[in-house]
């Protein structure tokens, strides 16, 4: 492992270490950053970026130590270097931009005093005759094979860097909106400071925008075909590294800085207009039609020699220690259901995976709560870590999941995500591993929910599949259109009939030793979204007064149930993965109105009382429930309507309402299921 550190200890130098580490790692090197050097001020993006490289040096076999920014070395860095138990043959190298020979000798002497031997020293000023960014701490080198996009006929991905001051101009947002509507490329913005938040708070929230620190320069270079840089000068080390990664991959870089900073140092870039309003015509008329010639010009540039990784390797006497490339393997399809406990998402994914042509080829990554369901369907599963109140940060579990996914997926794999919000772990892995990604996303959002943050991450996916609701008025368009695919409801099928239901009731009587004439089922969730213990207690009380009744409270494995429901004679708590068959055998079901439960009630013609869950982060269960009850296909009772709940139970069981509801369900025409269409879209089919 190559251990990397910087001469000084501050936020800027640590970010330089991170940039260099990510560049080496992108070339296959095993690199590490001592966890003791972490600053306290890391932002969220940096924590994800550094996570794969953090090491506890105790017991780690360090094959080489690289100190960047060695022109200035602090006492803190020297003490850290003294603490390492390097062998006498462990190479130690100092890399810097030394103003003169005396500065080089001074740095060499300080390290030699600590180690008892002199380090190798590389003066970047000799390698890079016309430095792109003279103040850079990072060596600013890149490998030749940095993330070339496969040739295809899709529009090129255009990445435009804008400094904060440009967004303060009142015309800039309008110009960006116009730039986004030009055919011939797909616009993406890379923004400094709070620029991304400014875009997302405006009426131009639909623009694809990234924070400049959101991904490593290597990842940005994988995503981009053309990069444009505005501002006064070269906009910092990250963007300088991004530009170099692009150039080393023979891609197009356009210098729109006021000082012509990239052109002035001799870089093989194009000089573009420094006014945003002139960029569109320049791109369409000059750049996009000549991409092949520009790439050839970049590939033959001698200026890039000083910025190639191979040059630094030679200067250090560093034999490439890249990890061997794995044998080519066919791309895998990984389903990832998430959000909350994730059971509804897991069931939807399992239904779609089962409808695909090769179910045995697909794997899952999911929370442990989903394992019984997924493995019960015959799929293998990688465990992810659920959120816990004991984690030091709200996204601590997601950092672990990010590392697990990074190790599990391969470049070019296919990721199928089902959830309401795209977590950082998923978002980053899709871009970093260049995954073919599809998002299965619910459509029934509450009116009060903010969509901007959720929809911003839509850009990571090639397709967004929206399983429709059963009723047209519940289906609305969310997203930016060109990649949205609407399908019919994804609903579990069942081969059992009425006779099977009677046999199941007989088995329940024998197994529980409890004779009954009426079977009632309650499915109100496990309290994650809302506490439903009062409703459960009310129902157990109602059914306790009915001597001929058996009441089953169905829970998923691992769910928390109020202890008070266990003391009733007519009530049993049943942990099951097969709730549908019990519901089909029941005379009445009282249920929350999640997507899966609701559509199973409708498609399997089960008489039900619907009790909406209405937490702020959930879909609009109230609208869903009322759409069914207005058609006479169910009855809606709010969580606060305890007396109405009792009256409706009596009406269903004693006054024939269950039969009338069942007849209405049998007569109502529902849209075709979308299970197989979803599978076709995932497996490479066209627009629904």
């Amino acid at each position: 492992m190559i251990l990397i550190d910087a001469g000084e200890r501050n936020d800027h130098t640590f970010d330089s270490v991170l940039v260099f580490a990510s560049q080496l790692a992108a070339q296959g090197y095993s690199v590490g950053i001592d966890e003791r050097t972490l600053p306290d001020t890391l932002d969220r993006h940096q924590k994800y970026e550094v996570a794969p490289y953090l090491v506890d040096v105790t017991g780690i076999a360090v094959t080489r130590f690289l100190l960047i920014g060695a022109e200035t070395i602090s006492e803190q860095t020297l003490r850290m270097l003294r603490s390492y138990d390097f062998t006498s043959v462990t190479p130690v190298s100092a890399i810097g931009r030394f103003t003169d020979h005396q500065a080089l000798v001074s740095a060499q002497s300080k390290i030699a005093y600590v180690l008892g031997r002199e380090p190798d020293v590389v003066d970047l000023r000799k390698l890079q005759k016309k430095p792109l960014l003279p103040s850079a701490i990072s060596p600013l080198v890149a490998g030749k094979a940095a993330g070339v996009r496969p040739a295809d006929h899709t529009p090129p991905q255009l990445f435009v860097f804008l400094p904060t001051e440009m967004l303060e101009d009142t015309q800039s947002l309008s110009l960006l909106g116009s730039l986004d509507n030009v055919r011939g490329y797909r616009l993406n913005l890379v923004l400094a400071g709070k620029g991304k938040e400014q875009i997302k708070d405006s009426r131009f929230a639909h623009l694809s925008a990234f924070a400049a620190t959101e991904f490593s320069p290597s990842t940005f270079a994988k995503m981009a075909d053309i990069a444009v840089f505005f501002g006064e000068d070269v906009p910092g080390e990250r963007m300088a590294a991004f530009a170099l990664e692009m150039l080393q991959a023979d891609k197009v870089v356009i210098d729109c800085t006021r000082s012509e900073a990239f052109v002035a140092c001799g870089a093989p870039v194009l000089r573009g207009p420094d006014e945003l309003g002139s960029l569109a015509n320049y791109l369409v008329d000059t750049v996009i039609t000549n991409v092949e010639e520009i790439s050839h010009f970049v590939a033959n540039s001698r200026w890039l020699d000083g910025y190639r990784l191979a040059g630094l390797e030679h200067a250090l006497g560093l034999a490439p220690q890249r990890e061997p490339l794995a044998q080519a393997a066919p791309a895998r399809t990984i389903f990832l259901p998430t959000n909350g406990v994730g059971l509804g998402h897991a069931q939807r994914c399992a239904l779609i995976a089962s409808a695909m042509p090769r179910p045995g080829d697909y794997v899952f990554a999911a929370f442990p709560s989903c394992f019984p369901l997924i493995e019960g369907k015959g799929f293998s599963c990688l465990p992810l870590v659920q959120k816990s109140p004991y984690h030091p940060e709200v996204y601590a579990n997601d950092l672990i999941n990010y590392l697990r996914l990074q190790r599990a997926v391969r470049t070019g794999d296919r990721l199928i995500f089902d959830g309401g919000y795209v977590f950082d772990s998923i978002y980053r892995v899709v871009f970093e591993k260049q995954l073919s990604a599809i998002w299965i996303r619910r459509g029934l959002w509450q009116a009060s929910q903010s969509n901007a943050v959720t929809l911003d991450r839509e850009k990571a996916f090639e397709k967004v599949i929206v399983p429709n609701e059963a009723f047209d008025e519940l289906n609305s368009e969310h997203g930016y259109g060109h990649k949205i695919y609407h399908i019919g409801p994804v609903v579990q099928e069942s081969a059992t009939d009425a006779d099977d239901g009677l046999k199941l009731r007989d088995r329940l009587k024998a197994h529980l030793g409890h004779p009954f004439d009426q079977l009632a089922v309650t499915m109100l969730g496990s309290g994650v979204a809302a506490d439903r213990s009062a409703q459960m207690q009310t129902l157990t009380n109602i059914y306790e007064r009915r001597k001929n009744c058996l009441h089953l409270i169905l829970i998923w494995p691992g769910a928390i149930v109020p202890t008070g429901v266990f003391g009733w004679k007519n009530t049993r708590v049943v942990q099951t993965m097969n709730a549908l068959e019990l519901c089909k055998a029941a005379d009445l079901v009282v249920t929350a109105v999640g997507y899966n439960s609701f559509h199973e009630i409708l498609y399997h013609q089960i008489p039900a009382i619907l009790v909406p869950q209405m937490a702020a982060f959930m879909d609009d269960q109230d609208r869903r429930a009322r759409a069914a009850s207005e058609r006479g296909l169910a009855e809606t009772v709010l969580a606060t309507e305890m007396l109405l709940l009792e009256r409706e139970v009596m009406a269903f069981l004693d006054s024939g309402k269950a039969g009338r509801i069942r007849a209405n369900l049998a007569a109502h025409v529902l849209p075709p299921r979308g299970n197989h269409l979803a599978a076709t879209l995932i497996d490479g089919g066209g627009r629904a």
Side-chain angles (χ1 to χ4, degrees):
M1 172 178 286
I2 300 174
L3 191 64
I4 306 174
D5 200 356
E8 291 192 304
R9 287 276 184 273
N10 55 56
D11 295 347
H12 171 65
T13 56
F14 183 83
D15 196 58
S16 300
V17 169
L18 186 50
V19 168
F20 186 41
S22 66
Q23 289 182 302
L24 290 180
Q27 296 301 312
Y29 280 95
S30 174
V31 299
I33 298 174
D34 191 334
E35 62 184 12
R36 294 177 297 174
T37 65
L38 277 177
D40 296 330
T41 54
L42 283 182
D43 68 25
R44 184 165 177 156
H45 298 312
Q46 289 175 309
K47 288 180 180 179
Y48 278 88
E49 191 174 342
V50 76
Y53 313 128
L54 285 183
V55 295
D56 177 358
V57 294
T58 306
I60 296 293
V62 176
T63 58
R64 179 175 284 269
F65 180 82
L66 300 181
L67 185 72
I68 65 174
E71 59 270 24
T72 306
I73 306 177
S74 69
E75 287 297 321
Q76 190 176 3
T77 299
L78 291 172
R79 286 195 298 271
M80 184 73 72
L81 185 56
R82 186 181 294 114
S83 71
Y84 295 132
D85 188 21
F86 293 148
T87 67
S88 59
V89 295
T90 302
V92 175
S93 301
I95 305 169
R97 292 177 172 85
F98 302 99
T99 55
D100 51 37
H101 184 68
Q102 183 58 43
L104 186 151
V105 171
S106 175
Q108 191 175 36
S109 300
K110 289 178 182 179
I111 297 173
Y113 180 77
V114 168
L115 293 180
R117 57 190 171 92
E118 290 191 347
D120 300 321
V121 180
V122 174
D123 188 352
L124 292 172
R125 294 197 310 163
K126 294 182 179 179
L127 289 178
Q128 302 167 354
K129 302 299 183 182
K130 294 182 178 179
L132 180 61
L133 190 63
S135 62
I137 301 300
S138 169
L140 292 181
V141 292
K144 183 66 178 175
V148 181
R149 289 180 75 234
D152 55 27
H153 299 290
T154 60
Q157 295 289 334
L158 170 68
F159 277 65
V160 178
F161 172 83
L162 295 174
T164 304
E165 56 269 20
M166 286 191 70
L167 292 181
E168 295 172 355
D169 186 335
T170 55
Q171 293 185 342
S172 292
L173 290 179
S174 296
L175 290 172
L176 290 173
S178 299
L179 192 64
D180 188 49
N181 288 317
V182 177
R183 297 182 63 184
Y185 54 78
R186 292 277 173 82
L187 175 65
N188 303 273
L189 304 177
V190 182
L191 304 168
K194 299 292 184 181
K196 181 175 178 179
E197 288 81 356
Q198 188 174 341
I199 290 284
K200 294 309 171 186
D201 289 339
S202 74
R203 61 189 178 93
F204 296 95
H206 63 279
L207 295 175
S208 173
F210 299 89
T213 60
E214 196 161 342
F215 291 106
S216 70
S218 299
T219 299
F220 274 129
K222 291 177 184 177
M223 297 156 61
D225 299 303
I226 302 170
V228 180
F229 296 91
F230 282 94
E232 186 62 39
D233 208 333
V234 176
E237 285 186 41
R238 280 185 171 267
M239 292 301 98
F242 173 29
L244 283 171
E245 295 277 0
M246 293 284 291
L247 293 171
Q248 296 289 15
D250 303 337
K251 294 182 179 181
V252 180
V253 175
I254 302 173
D255 180 4
C256 294
T257 63
R258 293 188 187 92
S259 63
E260 303 183 15
F262 291 88
V263 173
C265 72
V269 303
L270 302 179
R271 175 57 186 167
D274 60 6
E275 295 293 333
L276 193 57
S278 304
L279 182 61
N281 288 338
Y282 176 75
L283 288 168
V284 173
D285 297 336
T286 303
V287 178
I288 294 176
T289 56
N290 297 296
V291 166
E292 289 188 12
E293 290 83 355
I294 297 169
S295 296
H296 181 73
F297 162 71
V298 174
N300 288 282
S301 169
R302 298 301 302 271
W303 180 89
L304 285 173
D305 291 345
Y307 292 89
R308 299 192 196 282
L309 178 60
L312 183 62
E313 288 175 335
H314 177 74
L316 292 170
L318 177 64
Q321 298 173 7
R322 300 181 180 94
E323 297 173 354
L325 295 175
Q327 289 187 340
R332 298 170 301 170
T333 297
I334 300 135
F335 283 86
L336 203 163
T338 185
N339 293 108
V341 178
L343 290 166
H345 304 282
Q347 178 166 302
R348 189 158 48 240
C349 285
L351 292 173
I352 294 172
S354 298
M356 291 177 69
R358 301 172 303 280
D361 292 348
Y362 312 128
V363 297
F364 279 66
F367 295 141
S369 55
C370 303
F371 268 42
L373 186 154
I374 293 168
E375 292 177 339
K377 299 289 186 180
F379 299 104
S380 59
C381 201
L382 167 73
L384 300 180
V385 179
Q386 287 185 246
K387 186 177 292 187
S388 166
Y390 300 105
H391 289 148
E393 295 169 313
V394 293
Y395 53 88
N397 71 305
D398 195 55
L399 269 169
I400 300 172
N401 292 336
Y402 167 64
L403 294 174
R404 292 190 178 186
L405 290 172
Q406 262 224 336
R407 295 174 185 135
V409 302
R410 301 187 295 252
T411 298
D413 280 349
R414 185 167 52 183
L415 181 71
I416 316 301
F417 168 68
D418 188 308
Y421 176 72
V422 182
F423 290 106
D424 289 349
S425 56
I426 299 162
Y427 182 65
R428 296 184 70 90
V429 166
V430 167
F431 283 120
E432 290 171 356
K433 297 286 188 176
Q434 297 179 284
L435 305 181
S436 171
I438 296 175
W439 185 3
I440 302 171
R441 185 181 72 204
R442 62 175 171 83
L444 188 58
W445 295 7
Q446 295 183 50
S448 61
Q449 289 175 329
S450 172
N451 303 339
V453 175
T454 300
L455 295 180
D456 174 58
R457 299 199 164 185
E458 191 177 280
K459 59 179 175 276
F461 299 90
E462 296 175 3
K463 298 177 183 178
V464 178
I465 298 175
V466 180
N468 277 349
E469 301 283 333
F471 308 121
D472 287 341
E473 72 268 25
L474 301 180
N475 295 314
S476 56
E477 193 74 56
H478 296 287
Y480 304 125
H482 70 280
K483 59 175 69 174
I484 308 295
Y485 297 79
H486 286 269
I487 62 172
V490 175
V491 188
Q492 184 176 356
E493 299 186 36
S494 172
T496 61
D497 55 22
D499 288 339
D500 293 318
L502 292 174
K503 293 176 183 177
L504 177 56
R505 290 166 72 108
D506 289 338
R507 291 200 302 274
L508 285 171
K509 293 174 185 178
H511 179 69
L512 299 175
H514 187 96
F516 61 87
D517 297 322
Q518 293 178 329
L519 177 62
V521 168
T522 295
M523 297 190 302
L524 291 179
S526 59
V528 174
D531 184 0
R532 290 292 179 257
S533 56
Q535 290 75 23
M536 289 186 191
Q537 290 288 2
T538 298
L539 289 166
T540 53
N541 187 285
I542 293 169
Y543 296 130
E544 189 72 7
R545 302 196 301 267
R546 306 177 68 86
K547 295 183 179 179
N548 64 339
C549 183
L550 174 64
H551 174 217
L552 302 180
I553 295 177
L554 303 189
I555 63 170
W556 290 99
I560 299 173
V561 180
T563 56
V565 302
F566 290 96
W568 304 88
K569 295 180 180 178
N570 289 351
T571 295
R572 301 289 189 277
V573 177
V574 179
Q575 179 175 278
T576 180
M577 303 300 297
N578 194 20
L580 176 58
E581 302 308 323
L582 288 169
C583 290
K584 288 182 63 178
D587 299 289
L588 170 63
V589 175
V590 179
T591 178
V593 201
Y595 184 91
N596 292 343
S597 301
F598 176 73
H599 287 93
E600 287 174 2
I601 291 293
L602 296 181
Y603 279 80
H604 295 283
Q605 302 172 16
I606 300 168
I609 296 172
L610 307 177
V611 183
Q613 303 260 38
M614 288 302 294
F617 59 85
M618 299 181 69
D619 45 1
D620 198 338
Q621 292 195 9
D622 184 70
R623 283 181 59 203
R624 184 181 284 146
R626 293 187 188 280
S629 57
E630 288 168 1
R631 290 170 167 81
L633 305 179
E635 191 58 62
T636 298
V637 176
L638 300 182
T640 56
E641 298 174 325
M642 298 294 192
L643 294 177
L644 178 59
L645 178 61
E646 182 169 0
R647 289 200 300 270
E648 288 297 336
V649 169
M650 300 302 179
F652 270 79
L653 296 181
D654 298 335
S655 302
K657 190 169 184 176
R660 294 192 296 274
I661 293 287
R662 200 185 294 272
N664 292 345
L665 285 165
H668 192 86
V669 178
L670 294 167
R673 288 177 170 89
N675 304 30
H676 290 278
L677 183 52
T680 300
L681 287 168
I682 290 170
D683 211 41
R687 177 166 288 280

